[in-house]
Amino acid sequence: MIKEAISEIAQLTSNAGTDPTKTELPGVWIIKGEVPQHQLAAIYEPMIGFVVQGSKTITIGDQVIYAKAPSYFVVPLEIPVTGRVHQGSEGLPYLSVGLSLNLYRLMDLLNDISDGLPESNSSDKFMACDATPEFIDAWLRLLRLLKNPEDIPALAPAYEREILYRVLLGPQGWRLKQLCHTDGDIPNVHQSVKWLRESYTEPIEVKQMADKAGMGVTTFHRKFKQMTGLSPIQFQKELRLLEARKLLVYQGYTVGNAAYEVGYNSPSQFNREYSRFFGASPAKDASDLKELENQTNGV
């Protein structure tokens, strides 16, 4: 049953490529094939990622998650992530589908079922979860709507709701439940993440962030890392490096200008941290990626 469902999902998504392919299904996208590693180093939006074929290695801070098909993972907030994909066996290409998290739909579901949910194993670690037959079947029914787009407005919300429900029942369901908390420490951590996303170039003082969140420094640090996989300082650093890479590759900034633009006062520190994070110096990394872009575009 699972093998047949996976095969049908692969057929339904046969037109996807290595860039995320949006579909007529709201919030659903597909990616397939030899995805370049630099494309996988990015700020991931809140999502459920379902690895259908092949496997994916995801790094969040010091955590490495290996998602082998069929499995899924949860990214609850906008967080910096790096990754690598591995092709499937017997020549099958890597294939994954993603569902952007709709907070209002999730809250509506939780209002209906919260009393009936089992206690989750709330390990702080990010992890890949085995895709159950029920989870896969819900995805299959959702993707079948691509053949009958006139049915999408009526049926897609129901299948999306079922996917969310299956995740809520799984080992990472607690991450979805956290998103809907309206009291306690969690909303304050959410606000801290939002501020860092918008103000990553500014100097930060963790004590001031903790005070603003109404927590002691130790508690704030623990809660922040539980939700994002990163300390506040790591979070800011990775945001800066990812944004600097865009400036170097796509906007033609010099190394020094890119460093200052994202908030570094020391170019040498920027060079060290960039090289450690991406595995090459800023100049070499940007040169290699520009050459790859030219080859891809046939220049």
Side-chain angles (χ1 to χ4, degrees), residues 245 248-249 274 281-291:
R245 194 186 218 188
L248 290 166
V249 176
Y274 190 105
S281 70
K284 184 177 189 317
D285 184 56
S287 175
D288 289 347
L289 291 181
K290 287 176 183 176
E291 183 178 347

Side-chain angles (χ1 to χ4, degrees), residues 260-276:
Y260 287 121
E261 184 71 17
V262 299
Y264 279 88
N265 293 320
S266 167
S268 60
Q269 181 186 0
F270 172 72
N271 272 273
R272 286 194 305 273
E273 294 186 352
Y274 190 105
S275 300
R276 191 178 304 122

Side-chain angles (χ1 to χ4, degrees), residues 105-119 160-170 173 176-177 180:
R105 196 154 287 154
L106 178 59
M107 291 179 71
D108 183 62
L109 173 60
L110 279 170
N111 285 336
D112 289 343
I113 66 166
S114 58
D115 291 340
L117 284 175
E119 287 297 320
E160 178 183 348
R161 181 181 170 97
E162 183 176 352
I163 290 168
L164 292 173
Y165 175 65
R166 299 300 174 189
V167 174
L168 282 165
L169 293 177
L176 297 188
K177 286 188 281 186
C180 299

Side-chain angles (χ1 to χ4, degrees), residues 70-146:
S71 66
Y72 68 89
F73 58 91
V74 177
V75 177
L77 299 167
E78 294 179 318
I79 53 177
V81 177
T82 60
R84 180 189 296 271
V85 302
H86 314 276
Q87 304 309 303
S89 60
E90 301 177 2
L92 293 174
Y94 169 82
L95 172 64
S96 67
V97 289
L99 174 64
S100 299
L101 290 177
N102 183 317
L103 188 59
Y104 297 106
R105 196 154 287 154
L106 178 59
M107 291 179 71
D108 183 62
L109 173 60
L110 279 170
N111 285 336
D112 289 343
I113 66 166
S114 58
D115 291 340
L117 284 175
E119 287 297 320
S120 296
N121 176 23
S122 56
S123 165
D124 289 355
K125 298 293 185 182
F126 285 87
M127 61 184 295
C129 308
D130 292 336
T132 64
E134 295 81 8
F135 176 88
I136 295 170
D137 186 59
W139 265 107
L140 177 57
R141 282 180 279 119
L142 177 64
L143 292 167
R144 278 175 177 163
L145 295 177
L146 294 172

